[in-house]
Amino acid sequence: MTGDPPRQAAHGGGTAAGPTADGSTAASSTAGGGAPSVRLPRLTPDELTPEQEELYRTIVGGPRQQHASFFPVADEEGVLSGPYRAMLLSPGVGAPLERLGVAVRYRSRLPLWARELAILTVAVHTDCPVEWRAHEELARSAGVPEETIGTLHTDTPALSGHAARVVHGFVTGLLRENRIEESTFRQAEALWSTAGAFELVVTAGYYQIIAFVNNAFEV
């Protein structure tokens, strides 16, 4: 793990406005007031193909919009935020990815704090400031201690309790070594069952994809 928090994105700067429900900021295309991404087209609703429009309506009409705690998933012009805009580029791939995000966000049995700690861990390892800023406040509201959030970018983060150490070790093992130590896996299994261990893997994997999208398109 690096010794610094995720750096500012090339087209970002300052503090992002806040998170959407599953991994980006609604203002992520202009994160922190910087220049918008030049790699993602700003497609308004009337510019969409039928396939894009179907995916668009799924996103804005789904649970993300209904449960958006900080920002809607689209701006005042109806343009989707962050990685949702990237999903529109290829609805055949974007739609299944969107469904996976909904499943991770709303159908997982993992505790909210565990999911958010896992996501912040991914954000640090992928050096994705948008993902970090999007989920920092969500992590606080889910009960991740301030001391943990403030030290997660270090080699010795302050992890409060056995379960937090298991989450961090589990996700870090996957990201660093592409493996999970037997003891760590069994501890996760004991806490949340084998199904919960699977959900933790998928959570880390999904948000790694979202971080890659944000980074690649300079969101």
Side-chain angles (χ1 to χ4, degrees):
M1 192 173 290
T2 63
D4 299 301
R7 63 192 174 203
Q8 297 297 329
H11 293 278
T15 302
T20 63
D22 88 326
S24 78
T25 59
S28 58
S29 61
T30 55
S37 169
V38 297
R39 296 183 177 181
L40 280 176
R42 282 181 53 83
L43 296 174
T44 58
D46 59 0
E47 297 176 302
L48 302 178
T49 68
E51 293 80 8
Q52 289 173 328
E53 183 177 3
E54 181 178 1
L55 176 54
Y56 178 93
R57 293 187 180 280
T58 297
I59 293 171
V60 299
R64 289 188 181 87
Q65 181 81 325
Q66 298 166 15
H67 296 92
S69 302
F70 297 88
F71 281 88
V73 297
D75 65 18
E76 64 279 358
E77 297 177 5
V79 177
L80 293 179
S81 63
Y84 304 128
R85 284 166 59 194
M87 292 176 189
L88 290 181
L89 297 173
S90 175
V93 174
L97 182 61
E98 187 275 337
R99 289 195 296 271
L100 176 59
V102 169
V104 167
R105 176 76 184 180
Y106 301 106
R107 298 174 188 166
S108 172
R109 292 172 290 182
L110 290 173
L112 294 180
W113 69 263
R115 184 187 65 213
E116 293 303 325
L117 178 57
I119 295 166
L120 289 187
T121 302
V122 171
V124 170
H125 279 271
T126 54
D127 192 17
C128 185
V130 171
E131 191 159 88
W132 175 274
R133 294 193 301 263
H135 282 269
E136 183 177 4
E137 203 58 47
L138 283 174
R140 286 193 182 95
S141 66
V144 178
E146 190 67 37
E147 186 180 13
T148 298
I149 295 171
T151 60
L152 199 58
H153 62 280
T154 71
D155 289 329
T156 55
L159 299 165
S160 177
H162 170 69
R165 290 191 291 272
V166 170
V167 171
H168 184 262
F170 192 104
V171 176
T172 298
L174 280 175
L175 294 170
R176 282 184 175 176
E177 308 295 337
N178 300 309
R179 298 290 186 277
I180 304 168
E181 291 185 358
E182 180 69 13
S183 61
T184 302
F185 182 88
R186 295 305 176 190
Q187 289 169 28
E189 193 175 44
L191 286 166
W192 300 300
S193 79
T194 308
F198 168 75
E199 291 179 2
L200 189 53
V201 171
V202 175
T203 297
Y206 171 75
Y207 281 97
Q208 187 177 40
I209 292 174
I210 295 300
F212 285 173
V213 170
N214 286 329
N215 289 347
F217 288 95
E218 297 183 337
V219 173

